[in-house]
Amino acid sequence: QFSASGRDVGALPEVANVDVRAQCANDFRAFCENYFPQTFTIAWSPDHLTVIARIEQAVLHGGLFAPAMPRASGKTTLAEIACLWAVLYGHREFVCLIGASEAHAAEMLDSLKAELEGNELLEADFPAVCVPIKKLDGIANRCAGQTCQGVRTHISWTTTEIVLPTIKGSAAAGAIVKTAGLTGRIRGMKF
């Protein structure tokens, strides 16, 4: 049995790079470049910059758009990173990531999980999100009992959704990312 002391994530570290985190709060391009340097290794094309600007507009101010770019040009990666940006900064509390199929949606959610679990740059600057996730040690059953200094985190880590830990003072507290395939049930989605 997982003891109470093992369920508690303990005191969280301070944000390591306060200035970088603040710089990226309303700048999606800066977020991509600072927190995902191994993902975005080549210069942005004009099309990328247009898509980045449209994503930023939609996240910060609302709206919808469908980017059309060639295969393997980074559309999915930008969409995944945009979901993280939107929830980590508290720009959006509920994000739906839609894949071409249910299997593709599951792959995208796995990609987000990998970043939240293993991206050291994110962990350093978003400890209230990444540290509790890392403390699960990949065991989703630990979610129900996880606490932070004695208070339940209400984290969820399933095959179709992530509910970020509820930590006092975190802009991302309780934010939700759900996935669905293009032909799946999208309308009426709730948590």
Side-chain angles (χ1 to χ4, degrees):
Q1 182 170 6
F2 199 44
S3 70
S5 63
R7 289 191 311 257
D8 200 276
V9 298
L12 298 171
E14 295 293 319
V15 174
N17 304 297
V18 175
D19 293 339
V20 172
R21 180 175 160 159
Q23 173 200 358
C24 298
N26 294 308
D27 188 336
F28 180 51
R29 178 180 173 179
F31 181 74
C32 292
E33 292 171 352
N34 281 284
Y35 293 104
F36 303 91
Q38 291 152 341
T39 302
F40 301 109
T41 58
I42 59 175
W44 301 109
S45 73
D47 288 340
H48 285 114
L49 294 176
T50 299
V51 168
I52 287 168
R54 298 287 303 271
I55 288 171
E56 187 176 291
Q57 172 69 26
V59 169
L60 295 177
H61 306 291
L64 303 170
F65 79 101
M69 293 169 65
R71 281 190 178 275
S73 61
K75 294 181 301 294
T76 298
T77 302
L78 283 170
E80 291 170 359
I81 303 305
C83 287
L84 290 176
W85 180 63
V87 295
L88 288 173
Y89 282 101
H91 297 310
R92 298 289 163 188
E93 295 175 352
F94 189 106
V95 175
C96 181
L97 187 58
I98 302 168
S101 65
E102 296 295 325
H104 184 240
E107 289 171 8
M108 291 191 305
L109 191 66
D110 286 343
S111 177
L112 294 183
K113 288 178 175 181
E115 293 294 350
L116 290 168
E117 285 179 304
N119 183 320
E120 293 175 0
L121 297 170
L122 285 180
E123 183 179 352
D125 287 357
F126 297 91
V129 173
C130 297
V131 169
I133 288 170
K134 205 167 193 175
K135 294 280 185 170
L136 295 173
D137 289 327
I139 303 170
N141 289 343
R142 291 183 175 170
C143 291
Q146 188 184 73
T147 60
C148 182
Q149 299 184 341
V151 179
R152 285 191 55 216
T153 64
H154 300 285
I155 189 172
S156 179
W157 198 256
T158 72
T159 57
T160 60
E161 73 181 20
I162 298 169
V163 178
L164 298 181
T166 300
I167 305 289
K168 185 177 180 181
S170 170
I176 301 157
V177 178
K178 284 191 122 178
T179 60
L182 193 56
T183 60
R185 185 178 153 261
I186 298 169
R187 292 183 63 198
M189 192 178 280
K190 64 181 182 175
F191 179 83

